[in-house]
Amino acid sequence: ASIRKARHRKGLKLKHVASAMRASIPSVHAWETGKAHPQALRLFDLAGRLGIDLNALARKRAFRKAS
């Protein structure tokens, strides 16, 4: 599942995720669009908050970095 889809399923706005993650709104938007990736510790927190499988999220992150 994508970060954006998971956020929408939870009914959260971008600003809510950014605030909870102590990140800027542009940073979270970049994570959603694949233009940037959260650091490893944030990746764990993000997966937990959005109910995303951490392994799937990490694989997606690794795949995008490799391409």
Side-chain angles (χ1 to χ4, degrees), residues 21-59:
M21 298 292 299
R22 294 188 180 128
S24 68
I25 291 172
S27 291
V28 176
H29 181 263
W31 301 343
E32 289 187 347
T33 61
K35 293 181 181 179
H37 305 284
Q39 296 172 339
L41 290 175
R42 283 193 167 167
L43 193 65
F44 181 78
D45 190 21
L46 183 65
R49 288 179 188 278
L50 297 180
I52 302 172
D53 178 61
L54 179 60
N55 292 324
L57 193 57
R59 278 193 304 272

Side-chain angles (χ1 to χ4, degrees), residues 7-18:
R7 177 174 61 80
H8 282 252
R9 273 197 306 269
K10 292 277 188 177
L12 298 171
K13 294 189 180 220
L14 196 60
K15 67 181 181 181
H16 297 134
V17 174

